[in-house]
Amino acid sequence: MFEVYIHVPFCLRRCGYCDFNTYTATDLGAGASRGNYANMVIREMKLTKQWQLDHGIAEPPVSTVFFGGGTPTILAARDLVAMLDAVRKIWGIAPDAEITTEANPDTVNEYYINELAAGGFTRVSFGMQSAVPHVLKTLDRTHTPANVAAGVNAANKAGLRSSVDLIYGAPGESLDDWRTSVTTAIDLGVNHISAYALTVEPTTKMGRQIAAGTLPKPNDDDEAAKYEIADDLFAAAGLEWYEVSNWARPGYESQHNLGYWRNVDWAGLGPGAHSHYNAVTEADHPQSASLTAPAGGGCPADAGLGVVSVSHGLRSWDIAHPRLWGTAINENRVPCADSETITPEENLEELIMLGLRLHEGLDLDRINRAINDAVMSSTPQTLRNVSLDQLAPMISEGLITVSDNHRVVPTRRGRLLNDSVIEQFFDFVGV
């Protein structure tokens, strides 16, 4: 599978809790303005496609496209459609592809959503966050619950799927406030809801307010209680958890996010976006150039690499500031800031971390194959296969279940203690 993520770094205003790579200025220089942004991303697509060809990477038609931010819907709908059309022209799009944009409820209306639907979008993810006015105010959100309902209704009329995102644990949010938000989201009739615990970074406005004592710090026990409330209410409404922070009716899971958790290939476009390529072998691409990151950092696009077989996967990320990102594109360079080789041991760690977040579970047989591959690739011989007997204490503690086909699935308690479950697996494996 191959996915495309397009980052739109513009916002009308910056929320107090947000530490994403976003900007409120309309023009950031070097062509990175709201009005010209689609053109710049399309140019990056062409550079990225050429980089893939130069490195022997032949990806299948795109299975999902996701526009995130920032606020993608701060751009004109025709700009989002133009970028989607370019993906179709450059890589091809699978017939059943999922095409999603995030949307601030303040920035869309029925006409906007109809234009997205006509342009090939299939899904809109609305940033609801809360249904309680004082919580929205604390989060610096400007929309109202009525905006969210209007957006979902417009998406339904246009034949698009809708999802809403919620945040729990905001300072001053009571358990009853949270129940109100969850039940309001359910009553919208959407088939997918995400619910994320508030994470406060010290460099954000909210982080500074908490450090100064003007806002209370989020409480772990409070957030755990709110997670359990959400899980109960979602389950009663027919929404099943499929990832620690995501619930959906069967068949409505976010395919794009599942691709991340399943560790597929994706190209990230836009300032600060990350890309990921799994290892391919000489048998896959006999003339492929190495995907190994240059020694000392840097990007393969600038490394002048020879024609050798590929032995590792690669993670790279774009230049974060839009002006410098635009400058690289204007110089006909892939706007890569840096990259790193994914070693077999690191790949093993990622498989464990990602698999233990999913309802489909961690494939124990796959993990043991990955361990054997890592041992064979000169990784220090400290890695160990995981046996079912080793998992017995975690099962008895109510952290995991193990299916007949050896898939390890976290229980609700295991989801709440996910970091601990992952650490125990790391100890078993020896990473």
Side-chain angles (χ1 to χ4, degrees), residues 176-405:
D176 284 341
D177 289 336
W178 176 237
R179 287 191 189 91
T180 296
S181 293
V182 172
T183 55
T184 302
I186 291 169
D187 290 344
L188 290 169
V190 296
N191 294 308
H192 186 286
I193 301 177
S194 302
Y196 301 103
L198 177 66
T199 300
V200 179
E201 299 296 338
T203 56
T204 62
K205 173 186 172 184
M206 182 175 285
R208 293 190 293 270
Q209 290 173 317
I210 289 172
T214 57
L215 284 178
K217 183 179 180 180
N219 178 275
D220 289 345
D221 290 339
D222 173 73
E223 290 187 342
K226 288 172 179 173
Y227 185 92
E228 292 180 326
I229 288 170
D231 197 40
D232 285 340
L233 292 174
F234 292 149
L239 296 159
E240 301 175 2
W241 82 274
Y242 69 95
E243 190 275 338
V244 168
S245 300
N246 289 271
W247 291 258
R249 301 188 198 284
Y252 288 86
E253 299 84 358
S254 168
Q255 296 306 305
H256 185 83
N257 286 337
L258 277 173
Y260 287 153
W261 296 314
R262 290 168 177 166
N263 229 16
V264 304
D265 283 12
W266 69 83
L269 306 163
H274 284 230
S275 298
H276 174 268
Y277 295 93
N278 284 296
V280 294
T281 66
E282 190 172 5
D284 295 324
H285 300 294
Q287 301 302 315
S288 63
S290 174
L291 283 180
T292 303
C299 297
D302 304 320
L305 299 168
V307 179
V308 294
S309 63
V310 175
S311 58
H312 298 98
L314 182 82
R315 182 184 296 103
S316 65
W317 48 97
D318 273 16
I319 297 166
H321 195 281
R323 178 174 55 81
L324 300 178
W325 169 85
T327 297
I329 293 173
N330 291 331
E331 294 172 353
N332 291 315
R333 293 187 288 114
V334 176
C336 174
D338 209 343
S339 65
E340 61 185 8
T341 299
I342 304 170
T343 67
E345 185 169 352
E346 289 167 339
N347 179 61
L348 174 62
E349 292 175 357
E350 290 181 4
L351 289 175
I352 292 171
M353 288 189 292
L354 297 169
L356 287 173
R357 293 187 64 87
L358 292 171
H359 187 271
E360 66 188 39
L362 177 68
D363 184 340
L364 199 58
D365 296 332
R366 182 185 180 191
I367 288 299
N368 284 333
R369 288 194 300 271
I371 290 169
N372 294 334
D373 290 344
V375 169
M376 293 290 289
S377 68
S378 78
T379 295
Q381 307 292 308
T382 58
L383 298 178
R384 305 176 290 273
N385 282 4
V386 180
S387 69
L388 293 175
D389 289 344
Q390 284 177 292
L391 302 181
M394 296 177 72
I395 295 171
S396 65
E397 291 172 27
L399 295 172
I400 61 171
T401 62
V402 181
S403 67
D404 291 340
N405 60 349

Side-chain angles (χ1 to χ4, degrees), residues 84-132:
L84 177 59
D85 286 343
V87 172
R88 185 177 292 107
K89 181 178 180 180
I90 292 168
W91 284 289
I93 294 179
D96 58 347
E98 175 191 270
I99 315 294
T100 304
T101 184
E102 293 179 338
N104 185 321
D106 279 351
T107 60
V108 296
N109 56 28
E110 184 174 350
Y111 302 104
Y112 192 106
I113 287 175
N114 286 343
E115 194 169 346
L116 293 181
F121 281 77
T122 65
R123 190 170 176 273
V124 182
S125 179
F126 292 98
M128 178 179 174
Q129 319 312 0
S130 175
V132 179

Side-chain angles (χ1 to χ4, degrees), residues 7-10 21-34 37 40 270-272 318-330 335:
H7 184 70
V8 178
F10 301 104
N21 189 37
T22 62
Y23 305 83
T24 56
T26 59
D27 191 333
L28 292 155
S33 65
R34 290 186 197 172
Y37 189 70
M40 297 298 288
D318 273 16
I319 297 166
H321 195 281
R323 178 174 55 81
L324 300 178
W325 169 85
T327 297
I329 293 173
N330 291 331

Side-chain angles (χ1 to χ4, degrees), residues 134-191:
H134 79 85
V135 176
L136 289 171
K137 183 177 181 180
T138 298
L139 294 172
D140 281 334
R141 302 293 289 185
T142 58
H143 70 269
T144 66
N147 295 142
V148 181
V152 170
N153 289 337
N156 289 342
K157 287 176 64 177
L160 301 182
R161 293 184 174 187
S162 294
S163 173
V164 295
D165 291 353
L166 298 173
I167 290 177
Y168 57 92
E173 179 189 59
S174 68
L175 294 180
D176 284 341
D177 289 336
W178 176 237
R179 287 191 189 91
T180 296
S181 293
V182 172
T183 55
T184 302
I186 291 169
D187 290 344
L188 290 169
V190 296
N191 294 308

